[in-house]
Amino acid sequence: MDELEVRRRLLTDPYHLAPEQLQQLQQDPDSQQFHQDVLELDQHIKQLLSPPVPKALENALLLQQHKHKQQQQKRFYQNLIALAASVAFLAGFALNWSFFLYGSQSLGENSLAHVYHEEQYVQHLTTPLSLADVNVKLADFGAELNSSEHAIVFANFCNFRGTRSLHLVLETEQGLMTVFVVPKENSLDYESEFHDDKYQGRSINSHKAILVMVSDKTEVLQQGEQQLLKNLQFKA
Amino acid sequence: MWWSTDKAAAKKQAPEKEQRQHSYMQLVRLYHADLYRYSCWICRSADIAEDLVQDTYLRAWKSIDLLQSEASAKAWLFTILRNENARRFERKQFQYQEVEQELLLDEHQVSPEQLYSQQQLLKQIESLEPEYSEPLILQIIGGFSGDEIAQLLSLNLNTVNTRLFRARKQLRDLLSHENVREQKNG
């Protein structure tokens, strides 16, 4: 290592010396002096560029992290509260909506609504349906009609508040009688008897389904009930 | 069961949080003074320097999980500070100021002669090309090795070494000229 190289390396980095540099320094007082000069100038520069550090800085830095953390926590809880509020709002909304859609309704009210709905249409029905056709539909409810003394003029599935039910219309001598076969699993409040200004109704809670009969005449209902109980059989 | 795994996760999280907090406090204690000095040098203003250090530590806290090891922490902080400073330039056109003399020179503790020579030295450092003074300041104030400076400045080691050498050489030449002139005048 010539002198130029020695100095070049000392000027490049006087702090991290390689073993051969250290060895060389020990042997050469001039190089040692040069090294000292370099370090001295560095020291001057360091002093020059070392303004007093504000005493509050360290605490400010620690505090700022603390604040930031708190803010994050606060934001987390704010978000949590916002989320909870949203959920509560939606729940309330859904609940309201479900009351509107599925407000408590009784079997009777619902049956009457169906009867009124079909009232106009049923008036014009005169063609009796075959017993076989009716039994196909009744089979869905595990029921079977052995025979019918009265003509069945209408047999269709209908929706009892989300429960598939069968809507039958029987033509008796005294007038029309509507019979609903409603599965036991339904969303309606059971009513054994009901009526309004025009119609009367009566429900029989058999072991498999509920039978609802509606007519505008009491005697039709009585006859119909007897006939139904006699002829309608539920398969075990 | 679902809650037991949750609990385990929460338990694991707590010491991690503490660890993070502890690391941050260490970073502040060990390096805030050096960062502040370096910040003063690159900002030329004590107030901005303080803000810059605060911004630096805030960013460091946010991304403290990225810190690989204690050994690289100082260089990491300096890198963040340099980035934050560049960001500051992006935000608004910063007017390059003369070094605030009162900031860098402690006038009360030195004699007029010393003050004069300090001012001279400051002038000389200022007169260096930034590409030369930059690695030099990082070496003197930051105490970084050539490799670390190379990484900080995205340069290769040879370039850094050359610049360090030239920076010191120029500084020495300038100062010796000054001395010769003074002796002549004296």
Side-chain angles (χ1 to χ4, degrees):
Chain A
M1 220 172 0
D2 63 8
E3 202 191 320
L4 216 64
E5 175 65 10
V6 169
R7 297 199 160 199
R8 195 189 63 76
R9 289 179 69 172
L10 285 176
L11 283 173
T12 300
D13 189 349
Y15 304 103
H16 306 86
L17 300 180
E20 73 259 27
Q21 273 181 294
L22 287 170
Q23 213 179 351
Q24 197 275 337
L25 276 183
Q26 278 183 343
Q27 290 161 2
D28 181 6
D30 279 356
S31 297
Q32 257 178 50
Q33 184 56 46
F34 187 77
H35 186 217
Q36 284 312 312
D37 285 354
V38 173
L39 288 178
E40 205 179 316
L41 180 59
D42 274 16
Q43 199 53 41
H44 277 309
I45 295 172
K46 191 166 184 178
Q47 271 174 2
L48 191 61
L49 301 184
S50 295
V53 178
K55 289 203 174 66
L57 183 60
E58 185 174 350
N59 283 335
L61 293 172
L62 293 173
L63 196 70
Q64 126 181 317
Q65 177 260 336
H66 193 65
K67 270 188 193 156
H68 181 256
K69 210 175 69 178
Q70 275 183 333
Q71 258 175 5
Q72 272 184 327
Q73 267 173 358
K74 209 170 125 191
R75 213 171 298 145
F76 173 76
Y77 285 117
Q78 277 173 347
N79 286 346
L80 204 68
I81 288 168
L83 190 72
S86 306
V87 169
F89 174 76
L90 277 178
F93 190 75
L95 211 62
N96 251 338
W97 191 246
S98 74
F99 275 137
F100 173 66
L101 279 182
Y102 298 105
S104 176
Q105 203 179 16
S106 70
L107 192 63
E109 285 167 9
N110 201 48
S111 303
L112 287 175
H114 273 258
V115 172
Y116 280 116
H117 185 252
E118 302 284 359
E119 197 177 33
Q120 292 299 317
Y121 175 65
V122 164
Q123 298 298 328
H124 307 289
L125 292 174
T126 43
T127 334
L129 297 165
S130 72
L131 202 60
D133 283 350
V134 174
N135 274 334
V136 166
K137 287 175 178 166
L138 275 171
D140 277 14
F141 304 89
E144 195 183 1
L145 206 56
N146 297 330
S147 64
S148 181
E149 289 161 25
H150 305 297
I152 298 171
V153 293
F154 180 84
N156 258 324
F157 293 113
C158 64
N159 190 339
F160 258 50
R161 288 297 292 273
T163 310
R164 204 167 109 107
S165 312
L166 189 62
H167 187 153
L168 301 169
V169 178
L170 278 66
E171 196 170 28
T172 66
E173 293 81 0
Q174 287 96 345
L176 292 173
M177 180 174 86
T178 305
V179 178
F180 296 103
V181 185
V182 186
K184 289 202 135 184
E185 300 81 27
N186 61 59
S187 56
L188 296 161
D189 302 332
Y190 179 78
E191 262 179 329
S192 60
E193 284 192 35
F194 54 89
H195 65 88
D196 69 353
D197 297 342
K198 189 173 176 190
Y199 289 104
Q200 296 178 8
R202 173 180 290 212
S203 319
I204 307 168
N205 206 346
S206 82
H207 67 285
K208 273 217 153 168
I210 299 169
L211 295 176
V212 184
M213 289 150 290
V214 183
S215 176
D216 47 358
K217 295 185 187 75
T218 319
E219 54 270 27
V220 176
L221 272 187
Q222 274 167 357
Q223 272 189 8
E225 185 178 346
Q226 282 166 13
Q227 198 214 336
L228 266 182
L229 286 175
K230 198 170 73 190
N231 293 328
L232 193 68
Q233 282 186 341
F234 286 97
K235 288 171 204 153
Chain B
M1 275 173 232
W2 64 271
W3 61 81
S4 63
T5 58
D6 250 12
K7 249 186 193 169
K11 264 184 196 166
K12 219 198 251 171
Q13 234 174 15
E16 239 171 58
K17 264 186 185 170
E18 267 172 39
Q19 181 65 43
R20 232 180 274 149
Q21 178 118 24
H22 182 72
S23 304
Y24 179 82
M25 280 160 77
Q26 286 285 99
L27 291 183
V28 170
R29 284 208 186 101
L30 293 173
Y31 305 124
H32 82 278
D34 281 345
L35 272 170
Y36 175 73
R37 289 181 190 121
Y38 183 62
S39 183
C40 280
W41 165 253
I42 61 174
C43 296
R44 267 78 171 173
S45 152
D47 291 335
I48 299 175
E50 216 173 316
D51 287 350
L52 188 57
V53 172
Q54 294 203 347
D55 289 349
T56 301
Y57 271 101
L58 193 60
R59 189 151 295 270
W61 166 249
K62 283 178 188 167
S63 48
I64 201 156
D65 292 334
L66 300 177
L67 178 59
Q68 309 276 332
S69 68
E70 298 274 319
S72 61
K74 192 175 181 183
W76 182 68
L77 285 171
F78 271 68
T79 308
I80 296 176
L81 187 127
R82 289 172 58 82
N83 290 342
E84 286 294 314
N85 188 47
R87 205 189 288 261
R88 193 167 59 86
F89 272 92
E90 269 169 32
R91 276 204 296 266
K92 66 167 193 194
Q93 201 52 47
F94 184 76
Q95 282 164 0
Y96 196 87
Q97 295 171 330
E98 284 291 301
V99 178
E100 288 179 28
Q101 301 276 326
E102 70 277 7
L103 159 70
L104 297 171
L105 302 178
D106 202 345
E107 291 174 35
H108 305 291
Q109 285 175 12
V110 293
S111 65
E113 293 85 37
Q114 276 177 312
L115 184 62
Y116 176 75
S117 74
Q118 282 190 344
Q119 282 175 341
Q120 289 306 315
L121 180 56
L122 194 57
K123 237 190 340 201
Q124 314 294 13
I125 300 168
E126 280 278 277
S127 72
L128 290 178
E129 293 284 325
E131 61 177 34
Y132 292 153
S133 61
E134 216 169 16
L136 185 66
I137 300 300
L138 282 172
Q139 192 178 55
I140 294 175
I141 296 183
F144 292 116
S145 71
D147 283 314
E148 285 171 321
I149 296 170
Q151 233 173 16
L152 263 162
L153 300 179
S154 316
L155 297 169
N156 69 45
L157 182 59
N158 285 336
T159 312
V160 168
N161 282 343
T162 310
R163 288 183 182 179
L164 281 169
F165 165 69
R166 288 198 185 150
R168 281 208 180 81
K169 182 122 188 7
Q170 280 183 15
L171 213 50
R172 287 171 70 86
D173 289 350
L174 286 166
L175 287 168
S176 65
H177 279 184
E178 196 75 32
N179 286 343
V180 168
R181 210 168 62 202
E182 259 172 46
Q183 277 167 7
K184 272 186 186 168
N185 288 349

